[in-house]
Amino acid sequence: MKLSRNNGLRASAIGALVVSGALLLSACGSDDNNEPAKSGGKQTSAAASNIKCDGAKGQLLAAGSSAQENAVDLWVKNFQAACEGVEVNYQGIGSGGGITKFNQGQVAFAGSDSALKDEEVAESKKICKGGTGVNLPMVGGPIAIGYKLEGVDNLVLDASTIAKIFDTKITKWNDPAIAKLNPGAKLPDSTIQAFHRSDESGTTQNLGKYLSTAAAADWKYDPKTKSWPAPGGQAANGSSGVAQAVKGAEGSIGYFELSHATANKISTVSVNTGASAPVAATSENASKAIAAAKVKGTGNDVALSLDYATKAEGAYPLVLVTYEIACDKGNKAETLPTLKAFLNYAISEEGQKVLTDADYAPMPAEIAAKVRAIVPTLS
């Protein structure tokens, strides 16, 4: 198996598998695909599952979102165990890098935490002969704000304080704005170490969209950028890099997918959205926000519009949806059967169910049905 991933992260994540009742970017456990996967303490065999290989063979290259890397690891382990002789190589290099590789014809599909821009769609037509790149949402979940602060176990922030922290307008943990949201908490008079992504990232873009919507007065940066826009702070590569940085530094804070927080045992912020109670970063709470998404794409494109300003009870607003981006027409003949078989499994009921095992949120039923109808038509 030639997957690019952090072995320690995978090993930690497999021990943290949690089956949730969610509506809806690491647990590979072992590189031995003959070992049955463990989920919720039960032995399950991918080889005995309902995965359909449908002529899949050889190697399938893909790259992009590190946000979904832990989810893809689960899919790949199961798919390769069921389909003999198949190798899926997914590189979690960030959404921007994945789209670049896709539009250069280097990978069969890309993972991106934001839909293709108009110029990226136009560029994709050079690779997708007679077709175009389309956005197929397959992974959802919360972007956790993780922190390390001794003695503070249940930190609450709102969009305004999150914006000011990452924009270096709030630099001390005992700032009055933080203290007001956390009455009774023993907040230290220490400097906040804020970490952000160094690479182009859909996770960064979704955080920017949330802050631009829910804290418009405090976050003036372009919400469409995938590059970190604010001055100050410290940078790390990929979601796993930011998570490792936060885990290792007292007084730190950063953003990454919930699976990275769980795997590294990092405390996460509950968000004061204006609802009756602060909302924790959980798959179930993210599901409540994602379920309200609207489809803005047309035809075979299923790009979504999320409501980052939701105040619905129990809805965690800081969410992302990761798209698998593929050609609707013009795919390479040698990789098309494997591409379709893998994506068919990923969006299947079985493939979506394993997402909750790694703190992701499956797609809402209506959206999943749309994607399930499109994948078999890829040509």
Side-chain angles (χ1 to χ4, degrees), residues 124-144:
S124 75
K125 294 180 179 180
K126 301 175 184 177
I127 298 299
C128 305
K129 302 299 183 182
T132 186
V134 292
N135 301 288
L136 303 174
M138 294 199 185
V139 181
I143 300 174

Side-chain angles (χ1 to χ4, degrees), residues 11 24 46 81 116 181 201 206 255 272 294 318 334-335 378:
L24 296 168
L116 291 170
L181 290 165
S201 162
N206 278 274
Y255 60 95
N272 183 334
K294 306 296 183 184
L318 184 43
E334 61 270 25
T335 57
L378 301 180

Side-chain angles (χ1 to χ4, degrees), residues 141-347:
I143 300 174
I145 303 296
Y147 69 97
K148 184 176 183 179
L149 195 60
E150 187 175 355
V152 181
D153 298 323
N154 300 296
L155 186 68
V156 175
L157 298 175
D158 58 15
S160 176
T161 54
I162 294 170
K164 290 176 181 177
I165 287 170
F166 283 110
D167 198 21
T168 62
K169 297 295 192 296
I170 291 178
T171 59
K172 295 286 186 178
W173 278 111
N174 64 348
D175 186 277
I178 299 177
K180 184 178 180 180
L181 290 165
N182 297 273
K186 296 181 179 179
L187 298 168
D189 182 23
S190 58
T191 300
I192 298 172
Q193 297 190 64
F195 287 91
H196 58 262
R197 292 279 291 271
S198 60
D199 52 321
E200 283 200 347
S201 162
T203 310
T204 294
Q205 186 183 55
N206 278 274
L207 174 64
K209 289 179 179 178
Y210 164 69
L211 295 176
S212 295
T213 302
D218 302 303
W219 193 258
K220 301 294 187 179
Y221 303 102
D222 180 6
K224 296 180 180 180
T225 182
K226 294 179 182 176
S227 300
W228 184 253
Q234 301 177 63
N237 187 65
S239 291
S240 59
V242 176
Q244 289 293 327
V246 170
K247 181 180 180 180
E250 176 62 26
S252 61
I253 192 168
Y255 60 95
F256 30 78
E257 296 65 47
L258 181 61
S259 61
H260 292 281
T262 301
N264 289 283
K265 298 181 180 179
I266 297 172
S267 299
T268 59
V269 167
S270 290
V271 177
N272 183 334
T273 64
S276 62
V279 185
T282 68
S283 293
E284 184 176 5
N285 292 342
S287 298
K288 293 176 182 177
I290 295 174
K294 306 296 183 184
V295 176
K296 64 179 180 180
T298 58
N300 286 336
D301 187 86
V302 195
L304 303 176
S305 177
L306 299 169
D307 180 9
Y308 296 100
T310 180
K311 295 182 181 180
E313 295 296 327
Y316 185 80
L318 184 43
V319 296
L320 60 74
V321 169
T322 301
Y323 302 91
E324 311 313 333
I325 295 170
C327 296
D328 60 353
K329 298 178 182 178
N331 290 284
K332 295 179 180 178
E334 61 270 25
T335 57
L336 180 60
T338 308
L339 171 68
K340 292 171 68 173
F342 181 72
L343 295 184
N344 270 322
Y345 163 61
I347 195 58

Side-chain angles (χ1 to χ4, degrees), residues 1-5 59 80 87-91:
M1 184 187 297
K2 297 182 180 179
L3 283 172
S4 299
R5 58 199 172 213
Q59 187 182 62
Q80 290 185 164
E87 178 186 359
V88 181
N89 187 326
Y90 181 83
Q91 296 179 321

Side-chain angles (χ1 to χ4, degrees), residues 350-368:
E350 183 177 352
Q352 289 291 292
K353 185 177 180 180
V354 304
L355 295 180
T356 59
D357 295 348
D359 290 322
Y360 292 96
M363 288 296 98
E366 183 178 348
I367 294 171

